[in-house]
Amino acid sequence: QPASDPASSGGEQWGTRIGVILAVAGSAVGLGNFLRFPGQAAQNGGGAFLLPYFISLLVLGIPLCWAEWTMGRFGGMRGFNSAPGIFSVVCRTPKARYLAVPALLIPLVIYMYYVVIEAWCLAYACSYATGALMQGSDPDAYTSFFGNFVGIDQDGAAFSGGTSLMYFVLFTFAVNFVLIYRGVARGIEVFCKFAIPLMVVCALCVLVRVLTLPWEKVEAGLGFMWNPDFAALANAETWLAASGQIFFSLSVGFGVIINYSSYLKKKDDVVLSGLTACSMNEFFEVCLGGLITLPAAFIFLGTAVGSQGTFGLGFNALPNVFAQMPAGQFFGFLWFFMLFLAAITSSLSMLQPVIAFFEEGFGLQRSASVSVLGIIALAGSGFVMYFSAELKALDTFDFWVGTFLIFVLAMIQAVMYGWVFGIERGAKYSADGSHLGIPTFVQYMLKFLVPLYLGVIFIFFVMDNV
Ligand code: PHE
């Protein structure tokens, strides 16, 4: 088949190389880096968590990321942007498209709750701008602020109000869908090029603020999060959490990267760009996420923060922290605004795979795809809002879709790349547009070690949860 540049269906392509990297990094850097990561690390051995975490990054994250970039571009060159199309050309049989069901389901379902949290971030940023969130040091003030905002009374699931939340959700939806409608280069890429540098600036300001608080307290806060508990390493749960976090954070195993990379050109490189995007994600996660959220919460609240779930930490504990910090109103605003930007660059990447599928699979026009998806997603988000009374419920949900299904898709992709696409073709096609292809030892890892590692983790997962 011809492998010429303009072959991508609909002709959509990324504009510039830095633009693609920022778009993929935008997808990767999100709430996972700032809220999910600190929670996971603190619950799974503190500093010791970094060991399984970095092993998962090297064994699963980066290799699978390269496999997705390579297969995605391969499919894109043959005119396919959606995972079903890409899988069918990669496997040379149309039947393979059914394997792509999780690659559409996962981003769509995650979007439905992710966008609600994105709207919370925007609302919290606005509440700092107006000063409404500066309520002193009583923890109950923040719990009830949150309860009023999401429209849930403290005792249960009653859906009593939450009107302002509705407006924020609708606004957030509108921003997402306008950008998606504008397309990959004019919407997603343009937005990420401005959002990512802005996020770095905001996050660094908050980091400097936190680290320049009285040093004994900072030290205790960092110790609370990072003191290693090596006993946790004997626990299968820790290893599972580490690899789940790597997938969630890098957006690997979601059907997202494979879609984004299908808009690459033949002369674009995949290996260095993929690695750059992963490295940016790790910088945001370990250096910024790992040093801000939990240490700051501990400095002001002490060990009381330990028992809160990830979302409780972000929306109940942190506002209390900012209220007690010098110039907290300003830093609170920067923080939640930065979270909002991080979230939106991620949620865009959850919509694009489904849009591509509607356009390609059903031959819909852009406007029709965007409208249909908008209706489905809005209904789903309404459902999530109705049931998010329990913050814990969100954590549970996040575990099943954000961890379990992703393993399944990661396994499908590893076997597909290593055994069906084949590492010889992998070597050839990953090297297009650059001097480097995927290194040979990584090719062998993808073929043998990655499926094995995933299989072992999966067995532990089943034993733990059934
Ligand atoms: N990687 C994003 C984060 O860390 C989440 C995400 C998941 C984005 C799946 C796209 C697809 O928050």
Side-chain angles (χ1 to χ4, degrees):
Q1 286 186 358
S4 61
D5 262 3
S8 310
S9 77
E12 280 212 88
Q13 289 189 332
W14 298 108
T16 60
R17 178 170 179 203
I18 183 74
V20 194
I21 296 177
L22 290 180
V24 176
S27 166
V29 178
L31 299 171
N33 299 54
F34 299 102
L35 299 179
R36 199 177 191 276
F37 173 73
Q40 294 285 325
Q43 278 163 29
N44 293 290
F49 183 72
L50 288 183
L51 183 72
Y53 177 83
F54 279 112
I55 292 180
S56 302
L57 174 71
L58 296 177
V59 174
L60 300 176
I62 295 176
L64 277 168
C65 176
W66 277 338
E68 284 198 34
W69 277 74
T70 306
M71 293 192 293
R73 199 234 326 247
F74 178 85
M77 294 282 87
R78 280 145 195 81
F80 292 99
N81 300 111
S82 73
I86 295 170
F87 281 13
S88 57
V89 283
V90 163
C91 299
R92 298 192 177 107
T93 157
K95 286 205 191 87
R97 64 181 185 269
Y98 298 109
L99 291 174
V101 171
L104 298 171
L105 208 57
I106 303 172
L108 180 61
V109 170
I110 292 192
Y111 176 85
M112 290 170 181
Y113 74 89
Y114 203 89
V115 72
V116 176
I117 304 168
E118 189 171 312
W120 295 354
C121 296
L122 180 63
Y124 270 49
C126 295
S127 304
Y128 274 106
T130 62
L133 253 171
M134 298 299 286
Q135 306 207 354
S137 62
D138 174 16
D140 291 342
Y142 299 96
T143 330
S144 59
F145 182 94
F146 182 79
N148 287 337
F149 171 61
V150 297
I152 284 150
D153 59 35
Q154 292 308 298
D155 318 313
F159 192 68
S160 55
T163 2
S164 66
L165 173 62
M166 298 292 189
Y167 291 124
F168 280 106
V169 170
L170 289 177
F171 178 79
T172 309
F173 256 83
V175 177
N176 271 289
F177 278 86
V178 166
L179 289 171
I180 281 293
Y181 182 75
R182 291 176 58 86
V184 287
R186 287 176 54 236
I188 301 175
E189 183 174 342
V190 167
F191 185 76
C192 289
K193 268 181 163 164
F194 120 93
I196 306 255
L198 192 57
M199 278 154 58
V200 177
V201 174
C202 294
L204 283 177
C205 289
V206 181
L207 179 69
V208 169
R209 169 67 285 181
V210 170
L211 294 184
T212 51
L213 289 164
W215 178 248
E216 327 73 76
K217 290 186 171 179
V218 176
E219 219 177 350
L222 292 175
F224 171 71
M225 165 134 192
W226 289 115
N227 273 346
D229 164 18
F230 289 106
L233 296 182
N235 197 336
E237 191 72 29
T238 308
W239 292 80
L240 187 68
S243 40
Q245 177 60 24
I246 283 294
F247 286 144
F248 191 88
S249 184
L250 291 177
S251 309
V252 161
F254 282 88
V256 163
I257 302 212
I258 205 163
N259 166 252
Y260 267 21
S261 52
S262 74
Y263 303 107
L264 288 168
K265 304 180 182 104
K266 187 166 191 236
K267 65 176 173 50
D268 286 328
D269 116 296
V270 299
V271 174
L272 272 184
S273 305
L275 197 59
T276 312
C278 288
S279 315
M280 285 172 80
N281 183 63
E282 291 317 302
F283 168 72
F284 271 98
E285 181 142 300
V286 181
C287 302
L288 301 176
L291 295 182
I292 298 177
T293 321
L294 257 187
F298 181 80
I299 292 172
F300 290 98
L301 310 176
T303 45
V305 297
S307 56
Q308 311 213 18
T310 313
F311 297 107
L313 178 73
F315 293 92
N316 292 335
L318 276 185
N320 192 353
V321 170
F322 286 117
Q324 298 180 47
M325 174 187 278
Q329 184 174 353
F330 173 67
F331 287 104
F333 169 78
L334 279 189
W335 173 254
F336 282 102
F337 181 64
M338 190 274 305
L339 281 187
F340 174 69
L341 290 178
I344 203 159
T345 54
S346 298
S347 60
L348 288 172
S349 74
M350 301 172 197
L351 294 174
Q352 185 60 32
V354 191
I355 289 288
F357 171 66
F358 283 167
E359 290 181 349
E360 210 167 276
F362 298 120
L364 293 185
Q365 296 290 327
R366 171 62 57 95
S367 48
S369 317
V370 171
S371 319
V372 174
L373 183 60
I375 293 168
I376 300 176
L378 204 53
S381 298
F383 195 73
V384 169
M385 272 152 53
Y386 192 80
F387 286 103
S388 62
E390 279 266 327
L391 288 171
K392 284 261 184 270
L394 271 187
D395 281 334
T396 312
F397 194 62
D398 177 67
F399 178 74
W400 281 100
V401 186
T403 307
F404 174 77
L405 258 192
I406 290 161
F407 274 101
V408 176
L409 185 59
M411 183 62 119
I412 293 177
Q413 289 184 343
V415 173
M416 189 176 287
Y417 181 88
W419 297 89
V420 184
F421 189 57
I423 58 177
E424 297 75 22
R425 287 162 91 205
K428 174 169 184 292
Y429 288 104
S430 63
D432 274 347
S434 90
H435 312 295
L436 316 155
I438 300 179
T440 313
F441 78 95
V442 178
Q443 302 275 9
Y444 283 101
M445 275 167 70
L446 275 163
K447 187 160 180 172
F448 299 105
L449 185 59
V450 173
L452 186 73
Y453 192 101
L454 280 172
V456 171
I457 289 191
F458 195 76
I459 291 172
F460 279 121
F461 177 89
V462 174
M463 283 175 10
D464 257 18
N465 289 283
V466 179

